[in-house]
Amino acid sequence: MNYRSIKGTKDILPSETPLWQFVEQTIREVFRQFNYKEIRTPVFETTSLFARSIGELTDIVGKEMYTFQDRSGDSITLRPEGTASAIRAYIQNNLGEALPLSKVYYIGPMFRQERPQAGRLRQFHQFGAEAIGSPTAETDVEIIAMTIEIYKRLGITNYSLQINSVGDEECRPKYKEILNAELQKIAGQLSTESQKRIDQNPMRVLDSKNENDQKLTAGMPLITDYLNEECATHFAKVKSLLTAYGIPYTVNGRLVRGLDYYTKTAFEITSTELGSQDALAGGGRYDLLVKELGGKQTPSVGFAAGMERLLMILEKKGFQPPQQRPTVFIAAADDAAREWVLTTTMKLRSQGIASECDLLARSLKSQMKEADRQQAEFSLVVGATELESGKALLKHLSDHSQQNIVLEAIAEFFKH
Ligand code: HAM
């Protein structure tokens, strides 16, 4: 029997993990500098948590979730995103009691049964953050600025930021009615997908990727013209702060995003370096979600970004992450030295020095080849002669310089 990984999932191989680790470290560093703390939630939750948060009518809940009954008959779902779980954990653990504003971040796998293609997987990875407990535009802009800082830090400059305000529970229903009436007039000409959305979620029709839909809806009223005073003031403040921070943006009055929990600010970062799946990151404000899930009214804002899409850009740019390599490869010149080589390698490791030696009983020549293959910084050849004299020749493999070192003092040598 030949086993293959499941369609839409990927092995991240040892040759690829240095890039992942480097990027993850950079992301964690930025989160730390912005004072966001990591939260780790389970990868599966009760199905209704996601259905309730993301929205029954969204593509994610309607067609993409990995949902199954466990052996006790409970409906379980592999998390398709991180916000719902973070908010569930926030409520369950009373995080709001200790701090008026909880700033949390996560990095981890998410699951959506979408049609796999470049940049779209069924198990993919997101990094994201949530600022739970602040209604201010300053918080929205901190989230956006932090997202952008991550890309900047990694040398990615070819992206664009689109923002919108999707209103709140007061102004949005009124706007939806107006839009719905307009859409009804052309309903028959819209794509089947959009036709289905006219009644339940007319704003998604404006966000349709279908070119004909786009043409048909070109002159339709936009939410940005129907915001109430509170939403309009908030949006104006977000825009002026983005300008003050020197972050370029465009307003896209059609941007609604594929999750239903947003209120006020919604944003997306796209890159032309990606193919049709061009969204690097997305997020926004969700002032009603905590209450919806059983907590107190807690205005919040957050974002999430796709790891694989970010890595695709770095790979395309030929980005070379630092590789994992041993500081020293100790080679045994003869059998008499093998035990010394093994025990010394172990000793160095326990003193924090990355060391390697041969485990395959290979000839000295093959051991030296291995030292090169592993890109060891130094090699040290030890045989009966060296053990007797207590000294051996240490080679710097990159510039071929060499020097004699005292074997007794080998650990001290590498520590300096
Ligand atoms: P989202 O837009 O659904 O938002 O996902 C965020 C990012 O995850 C996307 O921009 C994309 O880079 C990546 N992504 C999504 N689906 C896939 C996939 N199938 N394969 C590869 N990458 C993918 C959210 O998930 C919200 N929770 C964001 C948020 C946080 N809003 C507020 N807080």
Side-chain angles (χ1 to χ4, degrees):
M1 172 74 112
N2 243 339
Y3 290 106
R4 315 271 312 162
S5 58
I6 286 170
K7 197 172 149 196
T9 70
K10 255 191 187 163
D11 299 311
I12 304 166
L13 300 172
S15 57
E16 299 164 321
T17 46
L19 182 61
W20 280 77
Q21 289 171 352
F22 176 81
V23 170
E24 281 165 6
Q25 259 170 30
T26 308
I27 292 168
R28 286 178 193 280
E29 195 62 12
V30 174
F31 283 143
R32 190 181 66 77
Q33 288 157 357
F34 278 75
N35 201 27
Y36 283 71
K37 296 193 172 125
E38 187 176 12
I39 185 164
R40 299 190 188 193
T41 61
V43 294
F44 57 90
E45 302 264 1
T46 307
T47 302
S48 58
L49 171 71
F50 300 115
R52 191 83 187 263
S53 315
I54 301 165
E56 297 277 3
L57 299 167
T58 58
D59 285 349
I60 298 179
V61 174
K63 11 183 192 179
E64 295 167 3
M65 292 203 307
Y66 279 98
T67 296
F68 58 95
Q69 264 192 5
D70 70 6
R71 286 171 197 275
S72 41
D74 295 329
S75 182
I76 302 291
T77 293
L78 299 184
R79 63 178 185 195
E81 58 110 50
T83 311
S85 310
I87 297 304
R88 197 257 320 124
Y90 169 87
I91 300 168
Q92 184 178 336
N93 299 287
N94 291 321
L95 299 186
E97 252 169 44
L99 284 173
L101 175 59
S102 294
K103 304 211 293 185
V104 299
Y105 81 84
Y106 46 85
I107 304 182
M110 307 289 163
F111 309 85
R112 295 184 194 175
Q113 192 166 2
E114 295 187 82
R115 197 167 46 78
Q117 62 182 86
R120 192 159 75 189
L121 288 141
R122 292 182 166 177
Q123 174 174 334
F124 60 100
H125 297 76
Q126 275 187 349
F127 55 94
E130 315 291 344
I132 312 165
S134 166
T136 67
E138 284 80 351
T139 320
D140 303 23
V141 180
E142 176 170 288
I143 286 282
I144 296 175
M146 181 165 69
T147 316
I148 283 176
E149 180 61 31
I150 290 171
Y151 295 118
K152 270 200 196 152
R153 208 62 78 89
L154 291 164
I156 295 176
T157 46
N158 197 352
Y159 57 77
S160 57
L161 165 67
Q162 296 191 357
I163 59 166
N164 192 18
S165 173
V166 294
D168 64 10
E169 73 276 30
E170 187 196 61
C171 56
R172 189 165 37 196
K174 285 184 203 156
Y175 164 71
K176 273 185 172 177
E177 252 176 57
I178 294 166
L179 181 61
N180 179 275
E182 287 300 310
L183 290 170
Q184 293 296 354
K185 295 181 195 161
I186 51 150
Q189 302 166 61
L190 288 167
S191 64
T192 11
E193 198 62 24
S194 287
Q195 286 187 24
K196 279 191 232 153
R197 288 183 166 140
I198 292 181
D199 284 325
Q200 310 279 10
N201 198 353
M203 287 167 75
R204 285 285 284 165
V205 178
L206 295 190
D207 207 14
S208 164
K209 300 273 177 283
N210 181 301
E211 270 182 33
N212 192 45
D213 287 355
Q214 284 175 6
K215 264 190 221 146
L216 287 165
T217 58
M220 298 233 159
L222 296 178
I223 176 82
T224 33
D225 296 323
Y226 292 84
L227 296 175
N228 60 19
E229 205 189 324
E230 192 189 317
C231 292
T233 311
H234 187 92
F235 195 37
K237 182 87 196 185
V238 167
K239 289 187 280 188
S240 74
L241 275 172
L242 284 172
T243 307
Y245 286 7
I247 299 173
Y249 64 86
T250 45
V251 173
N252 174 1
R254 293 170 169 259
L255 179 74
V256 285
R257 311 212 357 87
L259 305 101
D260 283 352
Y261 47 59
Y262 295 111
T263 51
K264 295 183 178 159
T265 315
F267 70 93
E268 209 150 77
I269 296 172
T270 54
S271 173
T272 48
E273 307 264 345
L274 296 169
S276 61
Q277 299 306 311
D278 64 352
L280 267 177
R285 173 163 285 287
Y286 49 94
D287 289 346
L288 309 174
L289 184 59
V290 181
K291 196 163 178 206
E292 179 79 23
L293 295 180
K296 291 192 197 119
Q297 168 70 29
T298 311
S300 307
V301 54
F303 86 98
M307 260 312 244
E308 284 82 358
R309 294 185 190 177
L310 161 58
L311 296 180
M312 271 168 75
I313 297 184
L314 290 178
E315 273 161 10
K316 215 169 133 186
K317 286 164 72 97
F319 180 84
Q320 291 294 335
Q323 294 294 317
Q324 175 178 326
R325 53 193 199 127
T327 303
V328 59
F329 190 104
I330 311 181
D334 47 47
D335 285 343
R338 285 201 187 264
E339 193 175 313
W340 184 91
V341 167
L342 280 170
T343 51
T344 306
T345 304
M346 288 294 175
K347 234 183 269 166
L348 290 181
R349 289 168 174 170
S350 61
Q351 297 196 43
I353 300 150
S355 321
E356 183 62 299
C357 64
D358 175 47
L359 296 177
L360 300 175
R362 280 175 284 191
S363 68
L364 181 58
K365 201 173 153 206
S366 318
Q367 291 181 62
M368 297 317 289
K369 250 196 201 159
E370 189 60 37
D372 276 334
R373 190 184 297 139
Q374 296 293 333
Q375 295 181 294
E377 211 177 320
F378 295 95
S379 73
L380 185 73
V381 178
V382 179
T385 329
E386 285 78 12
L387 289 182
E388 204 167 303
S389 67
K391 285 184 180 165
L393 207 56
L394 184 77
K395 278 193 195 158
H396 203 291
L397 288 181
S398 57
D399 65 7
H400 302 291
S401 62
Q402 44 192 45
Q403 71 188 97
N404 256 313
I405 62 159
V406 177
L407 294 180
E408 287 261 291
I410 179 169
E412 280 62 42
F413 176 87
F414 288 114
K415 279 188 182 161
H416 295 121

